[in-house]
Structures are given as C-alpha cells and as structure tokens.
C-alpha cells in the first residue's frame, strides 16, 4: 500500500486548474492553512464581513474583477485539519498572510506577468520558516529537510516548466495536507470576501 507521503494525484494538478480555474493559470496565489475555522482566518485577514458571498470560483473571480479593493479571498475547507485560501491582489510575505498565527501556512504563488513560480513557502506565527520546494534530484537538499519524505517522485529536475513545476508543487502540498485538488475541490462553494485597502494600510 502506498504511504500517504508518497501518494500521487489521480489527475494532473495543472490541467485541473486550466480546466476549472477560470484563468488562474495566468496568475495563482493559494494558501493551505492549518486549521478548520475559516471564520477565524477571515477575521485575521481583516476582511470586510459585509462583503461575504457564498459562491463558486467563477463567481468569485467575476466579483473580484468588479471590486475597487485590491485584496480579496475565497476561503473554505480543504481537508480535515486544513483550510484553503485563494488570494487575490496580495503578495507573498504580505502582512495579512503573516497575521495567521501559530499554524502552518503553505503558499504557492505564480507571478502572472512572469509566468513563473515562487518557492513553496512555509509560514508560521508571523515568520517565513523557509520553503518546502521539492529538490531537483531524489534525496537532494531542501531548505526544510524534515519535509524530504514527502518528495519521492516529485523531484523537479534541472529543466524548468511552469506546468510541470506547478503540478509537482501542488502534489507536494496535497501529500502534506492529505488531499490533492480534484474536480470537486475546484467546483466547490466557498466564501468570498473583499479586504479593504485600509485594513493593511495599503
């Protein structure tokens, strides 16, 4: 039987995003946050509670496109013990992300204008601990080597490919959190909130 830390997704994680992500392949910012309380996380992110909207991803992207605020989130359950936050308009190391408290926060960020991925960052209690990007070669060096057992078969190799690297990084997060993205994940109803620009002094 395959160990959970060596499992593989049933479908390519990049292909699912292209099919169901409503353009997110052009720029993606996702947080996998330890904990089962989206309401608490929304408060820590300083969202506008009056902007709350239960919706699917297509609606979330449409509403964000018509909002004046720079920041917004689409937030909801990911797997037992984990919440997913799709982020609009914020950047890595943003104060909102650093405000999520004493819980692990894994981040995948694709720069739309460059079409490249940042390292797979891990935050905890207001600090970036390092990244858990899979190594180039099996058993190779990692910033946080305690996550090396999750990387078997996900080695990045020497040649960069946005599509392949995104699939491998999303698979890495799926192993850690116990769930890969799938069609149900992408088509779920979650909660959209705007983040007022003044909430973080932007």
């Amino acid at each position: 039987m395959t160990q959970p830390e060596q499992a593989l997704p049933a479908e390519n994680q990049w292909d699912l995003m292209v099919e169901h992500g409503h353009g997110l392949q052009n720029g993606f910012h996702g947080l996998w946050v330890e904990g089962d309380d989206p309401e608490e996380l929304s408060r820590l992110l300083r969202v506008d509670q009056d902007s709350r909207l239960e919706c699917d991803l297509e609606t979330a992207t449409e509403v964000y496109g018509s909002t004046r605020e720079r920041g917004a989130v689409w937030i909801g359950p990911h797997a037992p013990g984990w919440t997913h936050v799709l982020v609009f308009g914020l950047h890595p190391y943003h104060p909102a992300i650093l405000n999520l408290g004493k819980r692990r926060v894994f981040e995948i960020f694709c720069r739309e204008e460059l079409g490249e991925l940042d390292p797979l960052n891990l935050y905890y209690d207001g600090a970036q601990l390092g990244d858990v990007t899979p190594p180039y070669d099996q058993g190779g060096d990692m910033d946080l080597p305690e996550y090396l057992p999750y990387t078997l078969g996900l080695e990045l190799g020497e040649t960069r490919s946005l599509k392949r690297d995104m699939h491998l990084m999303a698979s890495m997060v799926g192993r850690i959190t116990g769930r890969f993205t799938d069609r149900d994940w992408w088509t779920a109803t979650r909660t959209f909130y705007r983040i007022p620009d003044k909430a973080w002094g932007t």
Side-chain angles (χ1 to χ4, degrees):
M1 180 179 294
T2 302
Q3 298 297 316
E5 64 270 21
Q6 297 178 8
L8 293 171
E11 296 187 70
N12 184 282
Q13 303 290 277
W14 170 269
D15 290 345
L16 284 168
M17 181 167 64
V18 171
E19 183 176 354
H20 299 288
H22 302 283
L24 288 181
Q25 71 271 18
N26 298 316
F28 177 81
H29 193 178
L31 306 176
W32 287 257
V33 186
E34 204 165 26
D36 289 309
D37 192 347
E39 302 291 337
E40 179 188 7
L41 297 180
S42 70
R43 290 191 295 272
L44 292 172
L45 291 164
R46 301 181 187 174
V47 303
D48 175 5
Q49 295 290 342
D50 291 337
S51 69
R52 179 185 181 118
L53 176 66
E54 304 294 327
C55 63
D56 60 12
L57 178 56
E58 182 176 14
T59 301
T61 57
E62 290 174 352
V63 172
Y64 176 69
S66 65
T67 189
R68 292 177 298 174
E69 283 84 4
R70 182 181 307 164
V73 292
W74 186 60
I75 183 171
H78 168 67
W82 293 92
T83 299
H84 187 262
V85 184
L86 181 65
V87 182
F88 300 92
L90 306 184
H91 54 78
Y93 311 103
H94 190 281
I97 298 171
L98 298 177
N99 195 50
L100 293 176
K102 293 184 178 181
R103 50 175 61 85
R104 289 181 295 169
V105 179
F106 294 93
E107 175 187 60
I108 293 181
F109 180 73
C110 175
R111 297 178 184 273
E112 181 174 6
E113 67 276 14
L114 299 178
E116 62 183 33
L117 285 168
D118 275 20
L120 207 173
N121 286 323
L122 171 58
Y123 303 94
Y124 184 85
D125 196 20
Q128 192 243 3
L129 300 183
D131 72 78
V132 296
T133 307
Y136 293 128
D137 303 303
Q138 183 174 335
D141 292 336
M142 285 187 70
D143 200 14
L144 298 172
E146 59 267 35
Y147 287 92
L148 188 61
Y150 293 95
T151 66
L152 185 64
L154 302 181
E155 295 80 12
L156 296 179
E158 298 297 332
T159 303
R160 299 278 56 77
S161 163
L162 175 62
K163 298 177 182 180
R164 181 175 180 273
D165 291 353
M166 177 68 190
H167 167 71
L168 295 174
M169 287 190 184
S171 297
M172 179 74 174
V173 175
R175 286 180 174 181
I176 294 169
T177 61
R179 183 185 183 183
F180 303 108
T181 66
D182 52 30
R183 294 172 190 275
D184 289 342
W185 190 94
W186 280 104
T187 58
T189 295
R190 296 190 176 94
T191 308
F192 176 86
Y193 297 99
R194 296 191 301 270
I195 299 177
D197 291 341
K198 63 183 180 181
W200 297 100
T202 58

